[in-house]
């Protein structure tokens, strides 16, 4: 959190002390809850994408081998994007956070190809 003197771990945004607090805040107030968007079907799509691309696609562009933990929509669902494979990218948590800006802002970012 702002002003925290503790260091965050590799690939993390928050120190261990504040990580739980930040995740709780995100899950409670900012995570999408529309079951038609992020329900059982999304979990199957997400799991299939991670199986197909188990490494972070953005890190691979830079020669870094890091396991993918998240699936990102290139065009957000809120802007007309879909769950089509061409609109999905496997990312590590760090790259996913970069794609959305800082936790909580959900600001869109596109990676340079």
């Amino acid at each position: 959190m702002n002003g925290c003197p503790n260091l965050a771990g590799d690939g993390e945004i928050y120190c261990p002390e504040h990580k739980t607090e930040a995740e709780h805040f995100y899950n409670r107030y900012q995570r999408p809850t529309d079951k038609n968007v992020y329900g059982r079907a999304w979990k199957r799509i997400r799991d299939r994408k991670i199986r197909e691309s188990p490494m972070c696609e953005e890190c691979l562009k830079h020669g870094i081998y890091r396991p993918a933990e998240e699936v990102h929509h290139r065009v957000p669902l809120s802007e007309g994007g879909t769950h089509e494979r061409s609109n999905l990218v496997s990312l590590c948590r760090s790259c996913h956070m970069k794609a959305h800006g800082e936790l909580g802002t959900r600001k869109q970012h596109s990676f340079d190809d």
Side-chain angles (χ1 to χ4, degrees):
M1 298 301 197
N2 288 341
C4 176
N6 300 326
L7 296 175
D10 185 36
E12 298 291 331
I13 292 178
Y14 298 102
C15 71
E17 181 180 345
H18 292 106
K19 181 178 179 181
T20 302
E21 180 183 340
E23 287 176 349
H24 173 74
F25 182 82
Y26 173 73
N27 287 329
R28 175 96 169 129
Y29 298 107
Q30 295 166 322
R31 183 166 187 84
T33 58
D34 183 351
K35 295 298 181 193
N36 294 327
V37 176
Y38 294 103
R40 190 176 302 156
W42 166 246
K43 181 169 177 5
R44 285 192 301 266
I45 293 166
R46 180 201 172 282
D47 291 347
R48 183 174 53 239
K49 176 63 178 166
I50 293 289
R51 277 192 310 273
E52 292 171 355
S53 304
M55 303 304 282
C56 175
E57 294 177 43
E58 185 61 25
C59 287
L60 282 174
K61 290 179 185 177
H62 304 285
I64 300 168
Y65 296 90
R66 192 174 281 159
E69 302 171 84
E70 308 282 342
V71 175
H72 176 68
H73 290 89
R74 294 176 196 269
V75 177
L77 297 175
S78 62
E79 294 178 14
T82 67
H83 292 322
E84 293 294 320
R85 286 182 180 163
S86 61
N87 192 43
L88 301 176
V89 59
S90 295
L91 298 174
C92 65
R93 190 161 284 129
S94 177
C95 287
H96 194 231
M97 295 305 293
K98 288 176 191 171
H100 284 285
E102 291 188 22
L103 183 65
T105 63
R106 304 299 285 183
K107 184 175 94 178
Q108 181 65 24
H109 169 83
S110 60
F111 292 108
D112 296 328
D113 288 339

